Amino acid sequence: MIVSTTLSGLRRQIGDWKRRGQRIAFVPTMGNLHAGHLSLIDRARNHADRVVASIFVNPMQFGPDEDLERYPRTLEQDRSALQDSGCDLLYLPDETDLYPQGLDAITRVQVPGITETLEGENRPGHFDGVATVVLKLFQRVQPDVAVFGKKDYQQWRMIEKMTADLDLPIDILAGETVREADGLAMSSRNQYLDSAQRALAPRLQQQLQWVSEQLRNGRRDFDALATEAAKELRQSGFTVDYIAIRERRELSPPSANEPLVVLAAARLGNTRLIDNIEV
Ligand code: PAF
């Protein structure tokens, strides 16, 4: 696996592959890789000749009270996991390279509509930070296909929209959420949970399953259903940011019989968990 820390090194290698007519798949990450990330690398490999991954803990997408400082950084482990998974190139940009003018002076990308609800409401500025860094990484890597995890459902849908709106010639694919044996969605933030919180955490997925069953059984009182599920989670000890039943593309409140997704964000202590289920 090639490891590139410079834009010129990255461009040289990508240019070489492109001249040979090879298709490039890209998996951007913030590192601390787990089986969920590695499943995205697998999916990428099935759609291209070369797989590029990046690791960059992007300060622009963290709010002032969020976990930027303590976000786990495990470069050596990540590097060997990527090597074993058959990744061809690991790109490691740094902050001064990506944001030479600093975070406040650089152009930001804002994707309207889909970013104004759910995570967008709860984490102001978060999606602008994600869209900006992903667009910059797309410009650098020039992939034919890019893969995002469905666990960050709204992020995936936002990137699909940005890619379509800006006519980027990139296929956006999604990888299914990978779960622990008890159903908890894999996430780098799970390691912040203490043992009591970890035991409670799978209830988030169980509540989503319950809502999904109710919907499959024909319930259509979406708001009441979401309120019931949130109440149950609060009683178990979660602080609930939202549980919402939405249509799957723009994540707007559903109208008729469209395909649905149920999304939730809830905190156990200082740890914020998100999850979703397509119905
Ligand atoms: O999902 C993530 O890890 C990040 O939001 C991403 C897409 C790598 C952008 O920093």
Side-chain angles (χ1 to χ4, degrees):
M1 182 177 73
I2 299 159
V3 179
S4 182
T5 53
T6 63
L7 180 54
S8 55
L10 174 77
R11 287 206 165 126
R12 207 173 314 117
Q13 188 55 62
I14 300 275
D16 184 35
W17 287 334
K18 292 219 166 198
R19 273 190 300 281
R20 289 194 243 156
Q22 297 184 334
R23 256 174 82 78
I24 297 184
F26 179 43
V27 182
T29 80
M30 297 206 299
N32 194 237
L33 305 181
H34 49 66
H37 295 107
L38 300 178
S39 77
L40 304 182
I41 301 281
D42 269 357
R43 185 145 167 65
R45 197 164 342 85
N46 292 333
H47 290 269
D49 304 296
R50 298 288 180 177
V51 177
V52 176
S54 63
I55 296 179
F56 176 63
V57 182
N58 174 32
M60 198 191 277
Q61 70 190 71
F62 287 77
D65 300 324
E66 294 184 356
D67 54 345
L68 174 61
E69 295 310 324
R70 69 167 179 155
Y71 197 85
R73 286 150 172 97
T74 50
L75 182 57
E76 279 323 306
Q77 274 163 252
D78 294 347
R79 188 199 288 241
S80 69
L82 286 170
Q83 171 110 43
D84 295 347
S85 74
C87 176
D88 294 286
L89 189 152
L90 168 60
Y91 179 43
L92 297 170
D94 69 23
E95 189 176 335
T96 47
D97 171 32
L98 272 171
Y99 303 126
Q101 310 89 323
L103 290 181
D104 294 332
I106 197 160
T107 302
R108 286 180 185 231
V109 181
Q110 206 258 327
V111 181
I114 186 161
T115 60
E116 287 153 29
T117 182
L118 306 175
E119 288 300 286
E121 269 175 334
N122 283 276
R123 302 183 67 188
H126 167 68
F127 283 127
D128 296 358
V130 174
T132 303
V133 81
V134 169
L135 182 59
K136 282 179 71 80
L137 291 168
F138 280 179
Q139 301 292 19
R140 289 172 174 224
V141 175
Q142 300 276 310
D144 300 285
V145 44
V147 190
F148 293 84
K150 273 195 190 175
K151 175 173 168 287
D152 295 298
Y153 203 92
Q154 195 174 1
Q155 167 175 284
W156 161 48
R157 290 305 199 187
M158 174 195 74
I159 287 162
E160 272 188 338
K161 177 170 166 57
M162 175 183 80
T163 305
D165 288 357
L166 299 180
D167 306 318
L168 305 178
I170 305 171
D171 292 332
I172 303 298
L173 301 182
E176 294 302 326
T177 303
V178 177
R179 298 184 180 281
E180 304 287 356
D182 60 8
L184 177 64
M186 286 197 182
S187 163
S188 304
R189 292 184 166 109
N190 292 349
Q191 60 200 271
Y192 302 152
L193 298 168
D194 66 26
S195 57
Q197 292 167 339
R198 176 63 190 79
L200 209 51
R203 292 227 185 156
L204 184 60
Q205 168 62 9
Q206 287 156 13
Q207 257 334 85
L208 291 173
Q209 296 270 12
W210 178 78
V211 174
S212 160
E213 263 166 46
Q214 300 291 307
L215 291 167
R216 277 188 275 116
N217 292 340
R219 265 185 82 170
R220 283 296 175 269
D221 52 340
F222 301 126
D223 289 345
L225 186 51
T227 306
E228 264 177 67
K231 187 172 163 204
E232 178 68 31
L233 274 182
R234 278 191 197 99
Q235 280 167 354
S236 338
F238 287 81
T239 305
V240 180
D241 283 351
Y242 59 81
I243 292 198
I245 300 161
R246 297 292 167 96
E247 55 75 28
R248 287 191 199 171
R249 197 150 281 278
E250 291 281 330
L251 305 187
S252 312
S255 43
N257 278 332
E258 326 146 87
L260 300 174
V261 57
V262 191
L263 307 107
R267 276 170 283 135
L268 284 171
N270 291 328
T271 305
R272 190 166 183 278
L273 303 173
I274 63 170
D275 202 351
N276 63 77
I277 187 168
E278 287 177 329
V279 182

